[in-house]
């Protein structure tokens, strides 16, 4: 027996002789770990810290964020209105209200709103659209003057009655007012029916339905982040929603306010994870306890294993905080990694102890014999798995590097507890005697015999399976888009998908930082020539073209209607009785001019007359509601017209400071924003767009570039760590086993199960992603551990692998991990569910390899079998 084995046996013996002391020491360590964790617990939810900041694309990201800090960590409050007037008014009121809450928001602004856009925004439209708008305003002169003088329902009906007089005497036609009569009739019918009703003056005057460009507004909010919380922006998001409710910005008032952007997306991801956490956790615990009981058939042993695992988790958490200083969004995955592998150590020791109890005189002797028999394999497994985890330390994927540090320390903790605390607990709780003559699977003895007889056939079929799996490897893909891992049911994702289809607000834009505005404009012209580009934006984009022609049109309209709007003093609101009289007068005028006509204009006039008569007979509250439907957008529209009629020349120097600051830094560097022509957000489109822009501007940055680059970084980190760990583990095995053949026999099943796992992912189109790729270290660790157990037993002379206690321990260890973490498949969170799927697929292949390929691999003829 080797020195290491005797040392482990002596450690188990000491634990069994002084179990109470061991328990008290464990409780002391646990208590100290709990105190340290409570006092030093730190958790960062900042995803920017998960990848090394030394990478060039990361440095470009940080440089852009430093140049324009107001564009970092944004929440987008997306406001959709039933009418353009309601959307504009809601955005203006919400912006003003949020600006009064500096405790929660660093900045609040409307990128397409404010005094500049209200006054000069019309100049940014093409000349033909400016001409159409001003012509529409001039045609509306008969209405605008009276409406400005009396912006109430009485004023609206009075203006309509005046035009109807002109129709009666042939100065106008009923068709001229058909857009207004049709819109008013529709709105009043809905009010009378108790349905939500909305009215747009813009639609009446332009004669065209408004699109999303007119009915959608976005407020950019930079919240105060609390990175000590799992949802750093949740408090600020809650304030936005509360403020919107207080302002009656809801569906009943024709407004929807939805939040999206980097902050809500990250926060709601945690919300979706927690949504069904109770179901997933319940399934995991139930599966873990159930399989543990089936493995050892003793409640006392199950309790000992669970206590050992919990103590190990607490100690590992404290050790992780000491080593890394904080947890991140990925390193917290040490919990399932520790449970999956730590429980394996405990099951191996417990099942071996039960087998030894059949032949040893007492429990202590059985535990010591188990330590002597399985201890060396456990130590080698813990070392190999720990090396695998520590292999992530040199990679640029900081999140997983810190996970590797904590999980590697966890393997040390798990091994030490499995040979110290677990034996002590088993002695204190009364180690049971095995209930059957064989702790293993006696029913598998015929399979053992078959595999040994048909060894060459099994190995040949395994080789064919490996070749077939290798052929499928090109089908394996990595989905580098983190948005694919988020719940599509969350508000932030639904809103983001809506914005992605909006050419004005797509998040898939790219930015380039240039030394000066002149260079930015030159680059923008080059990028505009690319077929992948829809348009580019620089600060110069906000300086209108053809200003002289546009201003001439606006001045012409201002000369005609400006005096009516500027000089009008609004009349006081009418009483209900005065409103009733106005309603009756207008209804009579409509019937008079419509007569018995059958044309659409006459039909609309009579429909409005019917609605007004019913409105006349309704309650004062209904009439007030009808008035609000018309007058709220009327006041917004009048204010907008007054502002745009004041438009004047625009130059770079006259642009608002807040607007200029979004495009040019104080030191003169300028930003170019590039919008994609292809509105698809799939991986191929993002990569193609990013590559096209970087072919012209290599220093570009933005979501398409960072998404692809982060995916490449993560894949490279796992490949790098995989090579490091493979080389290190092979070196460790070579040093311990000292036989090249034994090292090969240990690693071949790991490679086969890995090939089969990846081939299945490729065949079923189950991509690797940011979430499930974290499961690979667990799967690799389980495979390495299982193979070490079997090779060590084979070297010790074990002849019937399948019916042995080792096979029982391995199968139930795999089932424990598979069922417990396969419960992740139940999650509604796509990333978590994908991790559960990958774990189940891999462990399924691992069990098949364990039952068929590995016994055949180790079934050498008796003459070749030698003891270690």
């Amino acid at each position: 027996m080797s020195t290491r084995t005797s040392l482990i046996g002596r450690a188990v013996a000491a634990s069994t002789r002084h179990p109470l002391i061991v328990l008290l020491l464990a409780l002391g360590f646990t208590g100290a770990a709990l105190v340290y964790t409570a006092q030093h617990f730190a958790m960062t939810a900042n995803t920017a810290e998960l990848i090394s900041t030394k990478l060039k694309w990361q440095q470009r990201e940080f440089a852009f964020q430093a140049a324009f800090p107001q564009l970092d960590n944004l929440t987008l409050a997306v406001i959709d209105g039933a009418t353009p007037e309601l959307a504009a008014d809601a955005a203006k009121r919400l912006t003003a209200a949020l600006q009064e809450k500096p405790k929660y928001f660093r900045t609040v602004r409307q990128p397409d709103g404010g005094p500049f856009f209200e006054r000069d925004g019309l100049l940014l439209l093409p000349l033909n659209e400016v001409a159409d708008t001003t012509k529409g305003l001039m045609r509306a002169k008969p209405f605008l003057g009276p409406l400005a003088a009396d912006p109430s329902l009485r004023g609206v009906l009075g203006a309509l009655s005046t035009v109807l007089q002109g129709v009666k005497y042939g100065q106008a036609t009923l068709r001229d007012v058909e857009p207004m009569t049709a819109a008013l009739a529709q709105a009043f019918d809905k009010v009378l029916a108790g349905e939500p009703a909305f009215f747009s003056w813009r639609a009446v005057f332009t004669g065209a339905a408004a699109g999303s460009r007119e009915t959608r507004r976005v407020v950019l909010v930079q919240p105060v982040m609390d990175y000590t919380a799992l949802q750093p922006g949740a408090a600020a998001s809650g304030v936005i929603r509360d403020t919107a409710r207080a302002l009656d910005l809801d569906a009943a008032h024709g407004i929807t306010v939805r939040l999206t952007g980097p902050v809500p997306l990250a926060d709601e991801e945690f919300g979706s994870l927690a949504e069904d956490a109770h179901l997933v956790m319940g399934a995991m615990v139930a599966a873990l306890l159930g399989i543990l009981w089936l493995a050892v058939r003793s409640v006392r042993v199950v309790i000992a294993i669970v206590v050992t695992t919990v103590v190990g988790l607490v100690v590992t958490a404290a050790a992780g905080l000491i080593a890394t200083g904080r947890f991140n969004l990925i390193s917290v995955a040490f919990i399932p990694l520790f449970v999956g592998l730590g429980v394996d150590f405990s099951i191996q020791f417990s099942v071996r102890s039960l087998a030894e109890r059949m032949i040893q005189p007492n429990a202590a002797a059985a535990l010591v014999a188990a330590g002597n028999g399985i201890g060396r394999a456990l130590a080698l497994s813990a070392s190999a798995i720990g090396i695998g985890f520590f292999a992530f330390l040199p990679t640029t994927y900081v999140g997983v590097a810190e996970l590797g540090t904590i999980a590697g320390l966890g393997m040390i903790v798990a091994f030490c507890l499995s040979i110290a605390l677990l034996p002590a607990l088993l002695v204190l709780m009364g180690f049971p005697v095995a209930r059957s003559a064989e702790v293993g699977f006696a029913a598998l003895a015929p399979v053992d015999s078959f595999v040994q007889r048909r060894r060459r056939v099994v190995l040949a079929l395994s080789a064919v399976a490996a070749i077939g799996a290798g052929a499928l490897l090109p089908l394996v893909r990595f989905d580098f888009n983190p948005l694919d891992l988020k719940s599509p049911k969350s508000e932030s994702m639904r809103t983001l998908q809506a914005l992605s289809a909006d050419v004005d607000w797509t998040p898939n834009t790219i930015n380039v930082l240039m030394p000066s505005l002149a260079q930015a404009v030159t680059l923008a012209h080059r990028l505009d020539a690319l077929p992948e580009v829809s348009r580019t934006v620089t600060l110069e984009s906000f300086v209108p073209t053809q200003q002289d022609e546009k201003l001439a049109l606006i001045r012409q309209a201002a000369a005609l209607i400006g005096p009516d709007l500027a000089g009008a003093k609004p009349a006081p609101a009418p009483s209900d009785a005065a409103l009733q009289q106005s309603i009756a007068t207008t209804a009579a005028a409509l019937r008079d001019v419509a007569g018995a006509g059958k044309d659409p204009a006459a039909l609309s006039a009579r429909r409005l007359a019917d609605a007004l008569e019913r409105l006349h007979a309704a309650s004062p509250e209904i009439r007030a509601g009808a008035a609000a439907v018309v007058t709220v957008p009327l006041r917004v529209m009048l204010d907008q017209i007054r502002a745009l009629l004041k438009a004047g020349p625009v130059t770079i120097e006259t642009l608002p400071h807040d607007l200029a600051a979004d495009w040019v830094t104080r030191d003169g560097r300028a930003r170019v924003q590039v919008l994609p022509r292809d509105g698809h957000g799939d991986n191929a489109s993002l990569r193609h767009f990013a590559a096209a822009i970087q072919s012209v501007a290599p220093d570009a940055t933005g979501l398409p570039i960072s998404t692809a680059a982060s995916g490449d970084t993560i894949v490279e980190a796992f490949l790098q760590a995989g090579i490091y760990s493979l080389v290190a583990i092979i070196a460790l095995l070579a040093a311990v086993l000292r036989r090249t053949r034994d090292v090969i026999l240990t690693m071949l099943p790991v490679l086969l199960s890995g090939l089969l796992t990846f081939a299945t992912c490729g065949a079923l189109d189950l991509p690797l992603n940011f979430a499930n790729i974290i499961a690979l270290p667990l799967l690799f660790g389980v495979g390495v551990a299982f193979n070490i157990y079997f090779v060590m037993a084979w070297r010790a002379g074990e002849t019937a692998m399948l019916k042995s206690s080792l096979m029982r321990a391995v199968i139930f260890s795999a089932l424990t991990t598979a069922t417990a973490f396969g419960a992740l498949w139940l999650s509604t969170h796509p990333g978590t569910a994908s991790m559960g799927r990958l774990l189940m697929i891999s462990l399924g292949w691992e069990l098949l390899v364990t039952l068929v390929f590995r016994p055949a691999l180790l079934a050498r003829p008796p003459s070749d079998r030698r003891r270690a």
Side-chain angles (χ1 to χ4, degrees):
M1 186 176 293
S2 68
T3 303
R4 175 172 291 190
T5 302
S6 64
L7 284 175
I8 295 174
R10 286 200 295 269
V12 175
S15 177
T16 58
R17 285 196 304 271
H18 309 287
L20 189 58
I21 294 176
V22 172
L23 178 60
L24 291 176
L25 287 173
L27 291 176
F29 274 110
T30 305
L34 283 172
V35 171
Y36 184 88
T37 302
Q39 292 178 347
H40 297 85
F41 181 84
M43 173 78 186
T44 177
N46 189 351
T47 55
E49 298 180 7
L50 297 180
I51 295 178
S52 172
T53 58
K54 297 179 181 179
L55 296 171
K56 290 184 178 180
W57 66 268
Q58 276 276 69
Q59 291 177 349
R60 290 197 296 268
E61 285 280 343
F62 291 135
F64 182 80
Q65 292 171 5
F68 301 102
Q70 70 273 27
L71 302 179
D72 188 32
N73 283 333
L74 289 178
T75 293
L76 280 67
V78 181
I79 301 169
D80 289 296
T83 66
E85 295 91 339
L86 291 178
D89 179 62
K92 188 174 184 177
R93 290 193 291 135
L94 182 63
T95 300
L98 296 180
Q99 286 174 339
E100 296 177 358
K101 304 178 188 295
K103 177 182 177 181
Y104 298 98
F105 310 110
R106 298 183 187 278
T107 61
V108 181
R109 54 210 171 81
Q110 276 185 266
D112 59 349
F116 169 74
F117 288 98
E118 291 172 359
R119 192 190 77 157
D120 299 311
L122 183 61
L123 293 173
L124 296 173
L125 298 178
L127 181 60
N128 64 317
E129 293 186 29
V130 175
D132 291 342
T133 300
T134 53
K135 287 177 183 177
L137 291 175
M138 290 187 288
R139 284 196 302 269
K141 174 178 170 56
F143 288 101
L144 292 176
L147 292 176
D150 187 0
S152 67
L153 181 55
R154 177 188 60 188
V156 172
L157 296 178
L160 179 58
S161 296
T162 300
V163 175
L164 291 175
Q165 287 294 317
V167 174
K168 182 177 180 180
Y169 293 109
Q171 298 172 343
T173 66
L174 199 54
R175 184 179 297 178
D176 295 335
V177 293
E178 182 186 358
M180 178 176 285
T181 56
L184 288 173
Q186 182 182 34
F188 292 156
D189 281 342
K190 289 187 176 181
V191 170
L192 290 163
E195 300 174 3
F198 310 105
F199 184 87
S200 172
W201 287 97
R202 179 190 179 281
V204 168
F205 289 148
T206 63
S212 62
R213 178 170 290 184
E214 292 79 25
T215 60
R216 176 168 291 162
R217 294 289 185 273
V218 175
V219 178
L220 299 183
V221 180
Q222 192 176 48
V224 175
M225 304 288 283
D226 178 11
Y227 286 115
T228 63
L230 288 179
Q231 295 176 292
S237 295
V239 172
I240 296 174
R241 293 188 175 97
D242 291 342
T243 304
R245 281 192 293 269
L247 295 173
D248 291 329
L249 304 182
D250 51 37
H253 295 85
I255 295 293
T256 59
V257 178
R258 298 174 294 171
L259 304 184
T260 190
V263 175
L265 282 167
D267 288 344
E268 288 189 6
E269 183 166 17
F270 285 108
S272 65
L273 286 170
E275 185 177 318
D276 48 14
H278 60 287
L279 173 64
V280 175
M281 185 61 67
M284 289 178 68
V285 171
L288 182 65
L289 295 178
I291 300 297
L292 279 177
W293 185 84
L294 290 174
V296 297
R297 297 297 181 94
S298 168
V299 174
R300 285 173 289 178
V301 177
V302 169
I303 293 174
I305 292 175
V306 170
V307 171
T308 302
T309 304
V310 172
V311 169
L313 270 177
V314 173
V315 174
T316 301
L321 285 174
I322 293 173
T324 63
R326 54 88 195 273
F327 296 125
N328 62 57
L329 297 178
I330 293 177
S331 65
V332 293
F334 83 88
I335 297 175
L337 292 178
F338 181 89
V339 171
L341 294 169
V343 166
D344 171 62
F345 294 165
S346 295
I347 288 178
Q348 293 293 335
F349 185 89
S350 299
V351 172
R352 181 60 180 262
S353 298
L354 289 170
E356 294 290 347
R357 187 67 180 90
M358 298 292 302
I359 56 177
Q360 297 295 334
N362 53 54
L367 292 169
V368 172
N372 287 330
I374 196 70
R376 189 182 180 198
L378 289 178
L380 184 56
S381 296
S383 301
I385 298 170
I387 287 173
F389 285 133
F390 288 134
F392 283 97
L393 288 178
T395 69
T396 55
Y397 195 4
V398 176
V400 174
E402 293 182 354
L403 169 63
T405 300
I406 300 172
L409 292 173
M411 293 304 97
I412 299 173
V413 171
F415 169 70
C416 293
L417 291 178
S418 68
I419 63 171
L421 178 59
L422 181 59
L425 289 173
L426 292 174
V427 170
L428 290 173
M429 299 179 70
F431 190 59
V433 178
R435 298 180 182 180
S436 61
E438 174 60 61
V439 180
F441 291 117
L444 293 180
V447 181
D448 238 336
S449 177
F450 173 82
V451 169
Q452 290 189 15
R453 291 197 314 270
R454 305 294 183 184
R455 174 175 179 262
R456 293 182 180 277
V457 175
V458 173
L459 292 179
L461 290 175
S462 299
V464 171
I467 294 172
L472 291 173
L473 288 182
L475 298 178
V476 179
R477 62 186 179 89
F478 184 82
D479 184 356
F480 62 81
N481 193 341
L483 296 179
D484 292 339
L485 304 182
K486 300 181 184 297
S487 173
K489 299 179 181 179
S490 66
E491 177 189 86
S492 58
M493 270 304 296
R494 294 198 308 270
T495 307
L496 186 68
Q497 289 167 354
L499 289 183
S500 297
D502 190 327
V503 295
D504 294 314
W505 292 106
T506 175
N508 298 320
T509 60
I510 288 178
N511 291 289
V512 186
L513 195 58
M514 298 298 290
S516 68
L517 179 57
Q519 291 172 287
V521 172
T522 301
L523 176 63
H525 291 323
R526 292 177 59 198
L527 293 172
D528 278 326
L530 296 177
E532 294 83 3
V533 174
S534 168
R535 61 189 175 92
T536 59
V537 183
T538 66
L539 183 63
E540 192 174 84
S541 303
F542 298 95
V543 179
T545 58
Q546 297 180 288
Q547 290 193 51
D548 292 340
E549 295 90 334
K550 295 174 182 177
L551 287 172
L553 292 172
I554 293 173
R555 292 190 188 105
Q556 183 180 1
L560 183 64
I561 61 177
D564 294 335
L565 297 178
K569 183 178 180 180
S575 64
D576 184 62
L579 181 57
Q580 278 187 297
Q581 182 179 356
S582 179
I583 289 173
T585 301
T586 305
L590 286 165
R591 292 201 180 278
D592 184 30
V593 298
K598 301 297 183 181
D599 59 286
L603 293 175
S604 292
R606 285 200 298 273
R607 180 187 174 192
L608 178 57
D610 290 340
L612 289 174
E613 288 168 356
R614 285 183 289 134
L615 196 60
H616 183 275
S619 66
E621 291 76 17
I622 292 179
R623 282 190 292 275
V629 167
V630 174
T631 57
V632 169
L634 173 61
R635 294 187 179 94
V636 175
M637 185 266 298
L638 290 173
D639 288 342
Q640 290 175 338
I641 294 175
R642 291 188 181 100
L644 68 86
L645 291 178
K646 298 177 182 177
V650 178
T651 64
I652 291 290
E653 291 72 26
T654 62
L655 290 173
H657 175 268
D658 289 345
L659 175 62
D662 283 348
W663 299 94
V664 176
T665 63
R666 291 183 178 180
D667 60 5
R669 289 174 296 161
R671 165 193 173 201
V672 181
Q673 185 183 56
V674 191
L675 287 81
R677 185 177 302 279
D678 183 357
H680 301 111
D682 59 277
N683 293 342
S685 297
L686 290 177
R687 277 195 181 275
H688 182 70
F689 179 52
I693 302 306
Q694 288 186 299
S695 68
V696 177
D699 292 334
T701 185
L703 184 62
I705 293 173
S706 61
T707 299
S710 60
D712 293 341
T713 298
I714 291 171
V715 172
E716 181 182 341
F718 272 87
L719 290 175
Q720 182 182 357
I723 294 173
Y724 290 162
S725 61
L726 184 64
V727 172
I729 289 173
I730 290 176
L732 174 66
L733 293 175
V736 175
L737 300 178
R738 298 184 180 182
R739 293 178 189 168
T740 303
R741 183 181 183 184
D742 293 356
V743 174
I744 295 173
L745 292 176
T746 303
M747 296 305 298
L748 275 180
V750 178
L751 298 177
L752 178 60
S753 60
L755 274 175
L756 292 171
T757 297
F758 288 126
T760 303
C761 291
L764 299 180
D765 194 27
L766 300 175
L768 298 176
N769 54 52
F770 290 105
N772 62 27
I773 199 171
I774 299 173
L776 294 182
L778 170 60
L779 301 174
F780 183 69
V782 168
V784 169
F786 287 176
N787 285 292
I788 288 174
Y789 299 148
F790 278 102
V791 170
M792 296 291 284
W794 171 75
R795 284 163 59 96
E798 182 68 57
T799 58
M801 293 288 185
L802 292 180
K803 68 176 185 178
S804 67
S805 62
L806 173 60
M807 179 59 71
R808 180 184 186 88
V810 165
I811 287 179
F812 279 107
S813 176
L815 288 176
T816 299
T817 304
T819 54
F821 299 102
L824 297 174
W825 202 337
L826 300 175
S827 175
T828 57
H829 183 267
T832 304
S834 72
M835 186 185 298
R837 284 194 295 271
L838 182 61
L839 282 164
M840 289 292 284
I841 291 170
S842 179
L843 289 168
W845 284 120
E846 182 63 38
L847 280 175
L848 184 62
V849 169
T850 296
L851 292 171
V852 180
F853 175 69
R854 188 179 287 114
L857 196 65
L858 299 178
R860 295 185 302 174
S863 59
D864 293 339
R865 188 176 291 122
R866 291 169 294 181
R867 292 177 178 268

